[in-house]
Amino acid sequence: MKHLLILGGGTAGTMVANRLLHRLRVERDFWRLTVVDRDDRHLYQPGLLTVPFGAATPDQLVRSRRRYLEPGVELVLGEVEGVDPARGRVHLEDGRVLPYDYLVVASGTSPRPDQTPGMAGDQWRRRVHEFYTPDGAVALHRRLERWLGGRVVVHVTEMPIKCPVAPLEFTFLLDDALRRGGLRAGTELTYVTPLDGAFTQPVARERLGGMLDARGVRVRTDFVVDRVDDGRLVSVDDREVPFDLLVTVPVNLGADFVARSGMGDELQDVPVDPGTLMSRAHPGVFAVGDATDVPTSKAGSVAHFEADVFADNLVSYDRGRPMTRLYDGHANCFVESGRGRALLLDFGYDAEPLPGRYPLPVVGPLSLLAETRANHWAKAATQRLYWNVLLHGRPVPIPSRAPRREPAATRAAA
Amino acid sequence: MPVVQIRERAVHVDDEGFLSRPEEWDEDLAKALAEQIGITLTDRHWEVLRFLRADYAERGQTPTTRRVDVVGGVPVKEQFALFPRKPGRKMAYVAGLPKPHGCV
Ligand SMILES: Cc1cc2nc3c(=O)[nH]c(=O)nc-3n(C[C@H](O)[C@H](O)[C@H](O)COP(=O)(O)OP(=O)(O)OC[C@H]3O[C@@H](n4cnc5c(N)ncnc54)[C@H](O)[C@@H]3O)c2cc1C
């Protein structure tokens, strides 16, 4: 009997476990599937974006992990201390040792304000806030309820971060909320990014940058933060941005045990082959979801598309056959833009987001890169879809391949 | 792919002028590329460029500024001093490597 151990029971770990279980059942293969997580609280992270605006509380976004793992998948609760890939073992903090034949690292990535001097100091959760954790989102909600005007700076510390559009969405939603509360005129909104535009991919960058302009948001680009001083961000090349309220997305780092086990890169992500998701250093060890170094978005949709190819590939690998279903970087993200509208981006390693239509079943085709109400409702519906359909790892009738686009030259000519 | 002349040499570049065939690079070319963006190469620049070339050869991806800091041992602040304003892009440009991936 083969034993597959999955470290992390969040979006990717749950989808991979369930997907593989279905796949193995079809093949009548009997494997042992175990998921390890530190607790039994599965958080729907995209919902955190609505918490600062009072539209949800964290309790409404949390459910039991066990409930979403298909019967047949074992859940072990414990803090992972380290992996010993040479011996095929995982060590938990409480001393338990879990042996494995195959390992999947699905431990995600987390905000680390401790990595930037001055960020997690005495102003943390007073004047310096974040919304990537439940506590942070709640503290920010309290702060916004008392907001009367002044300088708000929305800031991305360093790329990559999970859900790269979340800080933009936050800015659009904040602009909207301030307008409705009559506080927009007295608030100066600035968006500070280490990138050279609002987003990385050119077509989306223009569209999203234009949306910031239209809302009167100032944009400071190429800003690599050196430290957070009392009330100002200071860049490594000595530029300064003052604030009364800083809403930052701290550096995102993979789990510390990845680094301790010598399996991580400079961001504690696991370097993998971008097609097969197998570790470059340790055959039989894979990574999925936010824990990898693949050059696409860190997003739940990516975990979903990866789970699609992963199950097939693992079965092939186990049988000594080549892994032929290669992941192509496919990602899609909804971008809430305020006023009850949203945009949809759809892209892959070699396909940048472009306008067009996206063939979502039931809800109907959605417009890509355009602000529509249908997109907003589709985004609002994804939480139900997430709990009821996506996590179960059954095939969903949405394209799992990234869009194929004509080369830039032909496009420009058209 | 466009081909451009740099000091009597024909090299392949992408739309933004980054070398699209890293094997066409050599140290003479690096000097010319650096000159084009107003940089005179010192020993410290060369250390950075050699790290970039070696890391790219090993991993097939242009290293990020964080990687040049953590793995290459050159602090981000110093990278800014050596390759002002946009060190990530400028280091890749002079080292003849693809533009660093945008990390969406
Ligand atoms: C504010 C916000 C908005 C977002 N919006 C969207 C969106 O609109 N669309 C979208 O597609 N994605 C969105 N995302 C991103 C999405 O939530 C993540 O990409 C997704 O959760 C990644 O799944 P994962 O399984 O890789 O990581 P996670 O879901 O974070 O799971 C990692 C798991 O590993 C466990 N773990 C880590 N270390 C240890 C350890 N040492 N021991 C035991 N357990 C451990 C954690 O407890 C956790 O359960 C958003 C994220 C945020 C924060």
Side-chain angles (χ1 to χ4, degrees):
Chain A
M1 191 172 61
K2 297 284 165 48
H3 188 186
L4 174 84
L5 191 59
I6 300 174
L7 304 182
T11 306
T14 303
M15 286 178 180
V16 159
N18 291 341
R19 183 67 192 244
L20 197 64
L21 193 82
H22 296 308
R23 166 78 213 228
L24 295 169
R25 257 192 208 136
V26 173
E27 309 255 341
R28 295 172 186 279
D29 259 3
F30 191 57
W31 289 40
R32 210 175 131 200
L33 303 183
T34 307
V35 171
V36 185
D37 206 298
R38 55 169 64 104
D39 57 31
D40 191 25
R41 295 170 58 78
H42 187 138
L43 171 70
Y44 178 67
Q45 296 177 35
L48 289 176
L49 188 61
T50 65
V51 173
F53 304 103
T57 60
D59 314 345
Q60 296 169 329
L61 306 174
V62 172
R63 298 198 183 170
S64 156
R65 297 187 197 281
R66 193 168 267 129
R67 221 179 106 194
Y68 288 88
L69 289 166
E70 300 286 298
V73 178
E74 182 191 3
L75 176 66
V76 169
L77 295 183
E79 179 81 22
V80 176
E81 162 81 25
V83 181
D84 181 350
R87 290 213 180 82
R89 289 176 187 180
V90 167
H91 295 264
L92 302 188
E93 241 175 28
D94 59 14
R96 278 178 289 172
V97 179
L98 309 173
Y100 64 81
D101 296 300
Y102 298 111
L103 184 74
V104 178
V105 181
S107 41
T109 184
S110 323
R112 293 290 294 270
D114 57 302
Q115 300 289 304
T116 303
M119 190 178 275
D122 59 348
Q123 291 301 308
W124 184 243
R125 305 231 156 124
R126 292 167 197 259
R127 223 177 351 168
V128 181
H129 286 263
E130 55 88 23
F131 59 90
Y132 269 47
T133 64
D135 289 352
V138 169
L140 179 54
H141 174 52
R142 296 217 181 96
R143 180 68 194 89
L144 289 176
E145 276 187 324
R146 288 186 288 111
W147 182 255
L148 294 173
R151 292 164 303 188
V152 182
V153 173
V154 183
H155 169 239
V156 178
T157 304
E158 187 177 320
M159 295 300 281
I161 54 171
K162 57 179 153 185
C163 200
V165 293
L168 283 166
E169 293 182 277
F170 176 82
T171 310
F172 297 143
L173 293 174
L174 180 62
D175 169 77
D176 194 15
L178 291 171
R179 276 177 210 279
R180 279 186 283 113
L183 291 161
R184 183 64 182 93
T187 304
E188 188 183 290
L189 258 179
T190 309
Y191 188 82
V192 180
T193 169
L195 300 174
D196 57 5
F199 198 64
T200 47
Q201 312 228 23
V203 176
R205 177 171 57 218
E206 241 161 75
R207 180 70 54 96
L208 295 167
M211 287 168 57
L212 288 170
D213 283 347
R215 287 161 177 75
V217 178
R218 296 182 189 190
V219 182
R220 298 288 292 267
T221 56
D222 296 306
F223 193 98
V224 177
V225 71
D226 181 56
R227 61 183 189 278
V228 181
D229 273 356
D230 198 24
R232 57 201 175 114
L233 282 172
V234 184
S235 73
V236 290
D237 51 356
D238 301 319
R239 287 178 289 152
E240 293 187 0
V241 180
F243 59 79
D244 299 305
L245 167 60
L246 176 68
V247 181
T248 186
V249 180
V251 177
N252 278 203
L253 291 186
D256 286 341
F257 78 78
V258 169
R260 274 199 298 271
S261 313
M263 300 169 79
D265 65 7
E266 65 283 0
L267 286 163
Q268 304 186 173
D269 288 336
V270 181
V272 294
D273 177 283
T276 64
L277 307 175
M278 186 155 83
S279 154
R280 292 169 184 272
H282 308 286
V285 173
F286 296 80
V288 292
D290 293 349
T292 78
D293 74 335
V294 299
T296 190
S297 272
K298 290 190 186 294
S301 61
V302 166
H304 174 84
F305 298 128
E306 287 177 348
D308 263 0
V309 299
F310 175 78
D312 286 344
N313 279 336
L314 183 64
V315 171
S316 301
Y317 183 73
D318 179 55
R319 298 190 177 150
R321 294 201 299 251
M323 293 185 270
T324 48
R325 291 208 47 205
L326 300 185
Y327 175 61
D328 62 0
H330 192 192
N332 50 46
C333 337
F334 284 104
V335 186
E336 278 299 325
S337 56
R339 299 172 236 177
R341 291 167 196 274
L343 287 80
L344 176 61
L345 312 181
D346 188 53
F347 53 97
Y349 292 144
D350 300 314
E352 65 165 294
L354 288 173
R357 307 285 279 170
Y358 187 75
L360 195 71
V362 190
V363 195
L366 295 173
S367 317
L368 294 168
L369 262 180
E371 287 177 74
T372 66
R373 286 192 187 280
N375 284 342
H376 168 73
W377 290 115
K379 172 146 191 172
T382 34
Q383 185 169 353
R384 290 234 315 269
L385 195 70
Y386 181 80
W387 294 118
N388 298 333
V389 181
L390 296 174
L391 278 184
H392 297 287
R394 296 196 189 87
V396 184
I398 51 179
S400 64
R401 309 296 299 170
R404 301 250 162 260
R405 311 284 199 204
E406 309 139 59
T410 21
R411 253 185 4 244
Chain B
M1 288 288 173
V3 176
V4 295
Q5 292 288 127
I6 296 176
R7 289 228 186 112
E8 286 111 57
R9 289 249 306 271
V11 290
H12 291 80
V13 296
D14 69 9
D15 297 345
E16 294 177 85
F18 288 82
L19 248 58
S20 52
R21 299 192 183 163
E23 66 280 6
E24 290 178 347
W25 183 90
D26 63 22
E27 299 204 344
D28 272 343
L29 191 66
K31 284 179 205 149
L33 291 168
E35 223 166 73
Q36 287 193 337
I37 55 170
I39 292 173
T40 311
L41 297 177
T42 64
D43 288 350
R44 192 62 171 165
H45 286 97
W46 283 112
E47 274 174 44
V48 175
L49 295 174
R50 288 188 190 116
F51 170 75
L52 263 93
R53 293 290 304 184
D55 196 62
Y56 180 83
E58 198 185 309
R59 296 169 66 249
Q61 264 181 50
T62 304
T64 58
T65 49
R66 173 176 282 258
R67 190 167 173 86
V68 174
D69 179 338
V70 176
V71 184
V74 182
V76 174
K77 209 169 170 93
E78 191 182 348
Q79 295 174 44
F80 265 83
L82 295 168
F83 300 90
R85 291 194 58 80
K86 295 178 193 253
R89 291 171 64 104
K90 288 184 177 171
M91 293 186 302
Y93 179 78
V94 180
L97 301 177
K99 190 174 100 170
H101 198 282
C103 18
V104 272

